[in-house]
Every structure is written in structure tokens, then in C-alpha cells.
């Protein structure tokens, strides 16, 4: 059948992934937030987004269990029909309160939060200017919109300034879209400069804080808080699937119009809402972020330990401290071999190949959790030395 011919190429690509296919890893069991069983052996999880280690938090598990008993396994409907429970509303109120903004909207995933927010914001007369390394969900969100879509060079304020300048009058109807902490390389957006530029051109700014919520800022609100620009950013999106340890997503804003997003957002309207257990686990994790700053302190302590360990091996892991560290490797085959070698030695990291990795590079992405022990971090460094550094053909 002609329709299925395209899968020949996919099958070919998959065969090329070799011995153990990195796209088909199965976590067969979990011993903790930072240790799983993979291919039958205990494996340190160094490639998750479990920044605060909350997936096994006792209070969260108890809250989820209670919600399962009291409200059942799922809502079986969308937010706009039967799927808004008191818990969804309470979570929205708590998120808005945390930011000090008038309202928040909860979506079923972070992916849906980006699609749904961009779909709500962008009409046929508008334009959107995305950082070229922005997450796929931000690009996909733009596809849902009739707006004109442009990109600017990653983390390059001068490029953004030029593009907005070229848009002329339209700059006043343009949404600039960036991430806070970028999830692949772990670098931060130059948000203060971007805020100044967008304000000068009369544009709006949307910040995806998926990797920075719970991680950056004194309260854990993200890069906008850390940089002191919370009053200047127009929309902030976050996900529950990283520091909060569940699934779902949200958008918050200082603009009252956010409360009307649901009426212009198909990804909000046409999908089932998060289950009551997910909502209560998320509310519990949010309380943990608000009341247990020691989790964030522990995350940064661990991030520093891993960074120092890798730097001492002579590896380049980005310019600024970050819980996400990327090791660039020579080519695709080398990156695959290194990824396989680390897994065989009991350390799971993320393999990023083009086009998922920026600038056509192949890299190993590592991420730190507050729940990693010192011994686990030292083991990640030891395995990296054996597999990556002592195999010079890989770097
Ligand atoms: N934005 C960014 C920057 C992400 O990295 C991700 C997920 N990796 C998402 C959005 C989507 O979030 P979720 O996986 O919770 O749907």
C-alpha cells in the first residue's frame, strides 16, 4: 500500500539505531525517584526531568491515593464539559496566587498548554517570533494558528531586535516566544534584554518555563522571577511533568484576558482533563515547592557537584550552572555508542540526535535531581569518564 511506504524509511532509521534502541527503553521497575530497572539491572536515572525528586514524595502519593478513593480514576470529559472538578479550580487558584497574577488555566499536558495558549493568542492578523531552539510544542502550537511565523537566532537579542524592526507596524501585534531554561542544553534565555526589546517594539512576550519552574528564582517561579522581570512578561507557561512530578500544564498571566483563553483554545476544549489523582498529586507538589525551599537548594548542590565532576574530566558542559548538562559528541555514531556504553554501565542519560539536538549536534543530555545521592552523582561522573573520556574517538 502506497500510504504505508513512508514507514520503510522509518524502519531503516530504526535499524540504524543499533544494539539497544534508545527510543525504546523500558523502565521495568522503579526503586526510587533516581533509580530504575532497565534491561534487568539497577540503573541510575540521570536523564529525567524529575528536578525536585517529587515523584515518590510521601505526601504526594497519599494525596493521590485519597483522590482516587474519593473521586475515581478519571474525569471522562473535557474541562468545558463534565471535566472541571473543584480540584482543577483549586489548582488554578493556587498557581495564580503563587505568581500573584489574577488567574491561571490548567491544561491536560504541557504540550497542550503550549498548543492551547498559542492557539488562543494568535489570530490571522498577528505574527509570532520564536527562538529557533524553542521546543517542538511551541512550533506545533504555531501550526495551529493562522498567524505569520518567524524565528530569531537562539538566545540572540540582536537578532530578535532586527526581526521586530523588520516587522514594522506589525511588531505591535507580535508574540515573542522563548523558553526560560532551555531543556536540551540547559542554557538560560537573556530574558532581561528580551523584555527590553519587546517593550520597545510594543510586542508581547510568552515564556515557556517548563524546565525552570520549581528550579529557578527565590520562590521557584522560574527565570522571569530570577531575573526580576515578572511584571514585564505577558504570559508564562509551565508543565507539571518536570519539577512537579506529574502530568499536565498551565498558563498564567498578569493580563485578565487569560481567563478567556478556554473559549479560543481547541487543545483546552477537546481533550479530557487531568484525573483527580493527578490534580491532587500536583497540588501537593506545588505545596512542596512553596514550603520546602531545601529541595531547590539540594538540586543546586547536586547540579554543582555533577558540573564540577564533569568539568574536572575536561568536558565542556555549557557556560552557566544548570541542572541540565549536555556533552557534545563528535557524530551520531559516537553519540549512540556512548549512550549505549553508559546504559551498559548502569547510567541512563538522554541521547539527543539531530533534529532534536540544536545546531545539528549529537549529544548526551544529563539532568540532576534533588533526590540524587552524592554516591549516585559520583557514579555518573565515573561512568562518564570510563565511557566518554577514556574513549577519545567519541569526543
Ligand atoms: N515545553 C518544553 C520546553 C518541554 O521541554 C516540554 C517537554 N519536554 C514541553 C513543553 C511539553 O511538556 P509535557 O511533556 O508536560 O507535555
Amino acid at each position: 500500500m502506497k500510504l504505508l511506504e513512508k514507514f520503510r524509511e522509518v524502519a531503516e532509521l530504526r535499524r540504524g539505531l543499533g544494539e539497544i534502541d534508545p527510543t525504546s527503553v523500558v523502565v521495568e521497575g522503579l526503586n526510587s525517584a533516581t533509580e530504575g530497572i532497565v534491561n534487568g539491572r539497577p540503573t541510575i536515572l540521570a536523564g529525567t526531568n524529575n528536578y525536585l525528586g517529587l515523584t515518590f514524595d510521601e505526601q504526594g502519593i497519599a494525596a493521590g491515593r485519597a483522590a482516587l478513593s474519593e473521586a475515581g480514576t478519571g474525569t471522562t470529559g473535557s474541562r468545558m464539559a463534565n471535566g472541571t472538578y473543584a480540584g482543577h479550580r483549586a489548582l488554578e487558584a493556587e498557581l495564580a496566587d503563587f505568581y500573584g497574577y489574577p488567574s491561571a488555566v490548567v491544561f491536560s499536558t504541557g504540550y497542550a498548554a503550549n498548543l492551547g495558549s498559542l492557539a488562543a493568542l494568535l489570530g490571522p492578523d498577528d505574527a509570532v517570533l520564536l527562538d529557533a531552539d524553542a521546543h517542538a510544542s511551541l512550533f506545533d502550537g504555531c501550526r495551529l494558528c493562522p498567524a505569520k511565523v518567524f524565528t530569531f537566532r537562539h538566545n540572540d537579542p540582536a537578532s530578535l531586535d532586527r526581526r521586530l524592526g523588520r516587522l514594522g507596524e506589525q511588531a505591535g501585534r507580535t508574540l515573542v516566544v522563548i523558553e526560560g531554561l532551555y531543556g536540551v542544553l540547559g542554557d538560560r534565555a537573556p530574558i532581561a534584554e528580551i523584555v527590553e526589546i519587546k517593550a520597545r517594539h510594543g510586542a508581547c512576550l510568552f515564556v515557556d518555563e517548563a524546565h525552570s519552574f520549581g528550579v529557578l528564582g527565590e520562590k521557584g517561579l522560574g527565570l522571569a522571577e530570577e531575573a526580576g522581570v515578572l511584571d514585564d512578561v505577558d504570559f508564562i507557561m509551565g508543565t507539571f511533568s518536570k519539577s512537579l512530578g506529574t502530568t499536565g500544564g498551565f498558563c498564567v498571566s498578569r493580563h485578565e484576558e487569560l481567563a478567556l483563553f478556554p473559549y479560543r483554545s481547541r487543545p483546552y476544549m477537546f481533550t479530557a482533563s487531568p484525573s483527580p489523582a493527578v490534580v491532587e498529586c500536583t497540588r501537593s507538589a506545588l505545596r512542596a515547592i512553596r514550603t520546602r525551599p531545601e529541595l531547590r537548594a539540594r538540586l543546586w548542590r547536586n547540579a554543582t557537584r555533577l558540573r564540577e565532576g564533569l568539568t574536572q574530566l575536561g568536558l565542556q558542559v555549557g557556560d552557566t550552572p544548570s541542572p541540565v548538562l549536555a556533552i557534545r559528541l563528535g557524530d551520531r555514531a559516537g553519540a549512540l555508542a556512548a549512550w549505549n556504553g553508559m546504559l551498559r554501565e548502569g547510567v541512563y542519560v538522554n541521547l539527543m540526535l539531530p533534529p532534536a539536538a540544536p545546531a545539528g549536534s549529537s549529544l548526551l543530555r544529563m539532568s540532576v535531581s534533588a533526590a540524587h545521592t552524592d554516591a549516585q552523582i559520583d557514579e555518573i561522573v565515573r561512568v562518564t569518564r570510563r565511557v566518554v573520556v577514556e574513549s577519545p574517538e567519541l569526543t
Side-chain angles (χ1 to χ4, degrees), residues 138-150:
L138 294 165
F139 278 90
D140 290 357
C142 291
R143 284 192 188 171
L144 283 183
C145 309
K148 290 187 210 74
V149 183
F150 305 97

Side-chain angles (χ1 to χ4, degrees), residues 63-105:
R65 282 212 175 104
L68 267 173
S69 309
E70 285 158 22
T73 54
T75 65
T76 77
S78 87
R79 291 294 312 273
M80 275 210 164
N82 57 303
T84 293
Y85 289 9
H88 298 93
R89 282 274 191 257
L91 176 54
E92 286 173 335
E94 286 155 8
L95 284 164
D97 176 65
F98 194 21
Y99 277 92
Y101 287 154
S103 64
V105 178

